[in-house]
Amino acid sequence: MEITKRLFGYVKNKPVIAFQLKNDHGIKMTCLNYGCVISELIVPDKDGKFENIVLGFDHIEDYIKYSPYFGAVVGRVAGRIKDAEFELNGKVYKLSKNENGNQLHGGDHGFHHVIWNASTIEREDAVGVEFSYRSADGEEGYPGNLEIQVTYLLTNNQELLITYRGKTDKKTIVNVTNHSYFNLSGNLKRDVKEHTLQLDSDQFLELDKELLPTGKKLNVDGTVFDFRHGRKIRDGIESRHPQNVLVGNGYDHPFLLKGDKNPIILQDQESGRILEVETDQPAVVLYTSNSLTDDFSIRGRRSKKYLGVCLETQGVPDAIHHPEFPSVVLNPGEEYTARTKYAFRV
Ligand code: FUC
């Protein structure tokens, strides 16, 4: 196993470092100390051909200019917070607004746009990077100094393990995820419409027109939201279900997970690549890049709608406004932890 480092560019005069992790079976992953971005993930197909399966760029300027959170860690709170405000202990906190008067993915200067500290990890069975960041009290409107760590570990079992940990000195809210866009065809040869997804979820959350959860849980039975026995992404793109149409024809929905550890399985039949995702989080947001624009290119291929699929494992979006959802509140003295494992199979 091996880790190499190189200078990727500069952001506000600070160096951006690219770390390349390599396991003994040829899997390579590149990640940046900017936004903890996973910029490249090279895995074999059924014939042993190694190709990249995530949307990402080779230049920092592209991340600053175009990236819709490609490969990044998003937070302090992933997803949308209604009206960009919330109440804790009787005090109202006003967050930065970056979408329709709401806050999306921690604000414009959220975790995806900051430089993290980084240290490499070398073990017998894994290589990795631990990123850490101190999000100051009041940053993007959130209370409390939050010390947050994100660890990426690539193992010889063909797995990527992501661990998130956080501590605060004031009551706050935390819900962090990784926003990688997967495309298992390899080097973006095809869009993800023919990818099959299997997801053991009985319920998803209804969204309003600003894509905020209404609070209503909908049963997947008899709809294209039923992935329990596997179905193609195409089904939701072609569906006339008002929830598919609302989000721009596709999926942009939180699915509730049961915690019984049935992996989420994404598969591309043509390449034979399979991605298995396991998490300890209560929800996964399935986003089929419905709002990906075509005005830039990604490593020589034109960006377009449905070029990637995001499986954002996390707490339930806007949980702070829905007491019926699992809490995302973090108190001083407690530790926030979340884990997601991605396994690359054929
Ligand atoms: C996802 C979605 C959004 C958004 C974005 C880029 O998580 O929930 O709708 O467009 O990320």
Side-chain angles (χ1 to χ4, degrees):
M1 311 205 88
E2 198 181 289
I3 309 182
T4 51
K5 280 198 227 180
R6 70 185 166 90
L7 181 66
F8 191 77
Y10 288 90
V11 169
K12 292 181 190 141
N13 296 324
K14 288 188 194 157
V16 176
I17 308 297
F19 297 85
Q20 190 183 66
L21 315 177
K22 201 171 151 186
N23 80 358
D24 290 338
H25 309 294
I27 291 190
K28 284 189 225 165
M29 172 178 136
T30 305
C31 54
L32 312 178
N33 61 341
Y34 174 76
C36 304
V37 162
I38 296 174
S39 60
E40 204 170 30
L41 188 49
I42 297 177
V43 306
D45 71 1
K46 61 179 188 311
D47 303 317
K49 187 168 178 205
F50 284 83
E51 289 171 313
N52 177 37
I53 58 157
V54 293
L55 276 62
F57 299 112
D58 292 323
H59 304 287
I60 192 67
E61 294 75 22
D62 291 333
Y63 279 104
I64 294 163
K65 210 167 160 190
Y66 304 114
S67 178
Y69 311 92
F70 283 170
V73 162
V74 293
R76 199 175 286 201
V77 175
R80 295 172 175 86
I81 295 181
K82 190 173 170 58
D83 300 329
E85 64 173 54
F86 63 93
E87 202 182 306
L88 263 189
N89 283 354
K91 194 167 176 233
V92 174
Y93 291 95
K94 297 207 179 284
L95 303 174
S96 62
K97 298 177 177 178
N98 60 344
E99 194 193 69
N100 305 318
N102 303 314
Q103 190 189 71
L104 171 64
H105 293 332
D108 281 340
H109 306 284
F111 293 175
H112 64 294
H113 266 182
V114 301
I115 300 277
W116 295 62
N117 295 315
S119 58
T120 55
I121 303 167
E122 287 181 75
R123 293 195 200 157
E124 187 119 347
D125 56 334
V127 279
V129 184
E130 179 176 288
F131 293 108
S132 59
Y133 177 66
R134 183 176 183 274
S135 168
D137 188 9
E139 188 176 78
E140 296 296 292
Y142 292 100
N145 293 298
L146 178 74
E147 300 280 354
I148 182 109
Q149 279 104 40
V150 176
T151 307
Y152 294 151
L153 262 189
L154 176 67
T155 73
N156 268 336
N157 285 334
Q158 312 296 71
E159 291 165 347
L160 165 66
L161 241 138
I162 306 186
T163 310
Y164 308 89
R165 281 177 294 139
K167 280 190 172 165
T168 184
D169 60 3
K170 223 192 245 179
K171 198 179 185 113
T172 190
I173 56 177
V174 187
N175 181 17
V176 181
T177 190
N178 179 282
H179 206 294
S180 286
Y181 291 65
F182 295 99
N183 181 323
L184 304 180
S185 72
N187 297 345
L188 308 184
K189 279 198 285 292
R190 301 179 293 278
D191 62 33
V192 297
K193 288 181 200 155
E194 299 307 317
H195 280 37
T196 303
L197 180 69
Q198 196 171 337
L199 176 56
D200 192 13
S201 170
D202 301 333
Q203 290 182 310
F204 69 105
L205 298 185
E206 180 186 69
L207 301 180
D208 69 14
K209 61 179 193 317
E210 290 177 351
L211 310 187
L212 279 149
T214 62
K216 203 167 160 190
K217 297 173 185 171
L218 302 179
N219 290 328
V220 299
D221 302 76
T223 73
V224 294
F225 292 84
D226 188 353
F227 287 97
R228 291 172 296 190
H229 306 289
R231 73 163 57 243
K232 287 197 170 165
I233 298 295
R234 171 184 290 285
D235 293 351
I237 292 170
E238 291 173 351
S239 153
R240 302 317 300 160
H241 190 297
Q243 283 290 308
N244 294 118
V245 175
L246 175 83
V247 301
N249 300 100
Y251 301 96
D252 193 353
H253 292 82
F255 286 77
L256 302 180
L257 299 174
K258 294 186 231 165
D260 54 6
K261 295 284 169 285
N262 277 332
I264 301 164
I265 303 174
L266 183 70
Q267 188 163 3
D268 172 52
Q269 200 148 23
E270 201 170 324
S271 67
R273 290 192 182 91
I274 298 169
L275 174 69
E276 283 182 12
V277 183
E278 280 177 61
T279 185
D280 61 2
Q281 292 299 289
V284 59
V285 174
L286 169 63
Y287 172 58
T288 49
S289 51
N290 321 312
S291 49
L292 200 55
T293 55
D294 59 5
D295 53 348
F296 62 97
S297 67
I298 308 169
R299 296 193 173 108
R301 303 220 184 234
R302 182 132 301 268
S303 167
K304 60 176 181 184
K305 222 172 159 173
Y306 313 126
L307 196 57
V309 51
C310 301
L311 298 165
E312 303 160 52
T313 52
Q314 58 177 105
V316 178
D318 205 26
I320 192 65
H321 292 127
H322 296 276
E324 70 278 18
F325 294 152
S327 172
V328 293
V329 173
L330 182 70
N331 292 296
E334 292 174 353
E335 190 178 36
Y336 165 80
T337 60
R339 282 163 67 86
T340 297
K341 186 171 86 182
Y342 305 81
F344 311 106
R345 314 274 183 226
V346 280

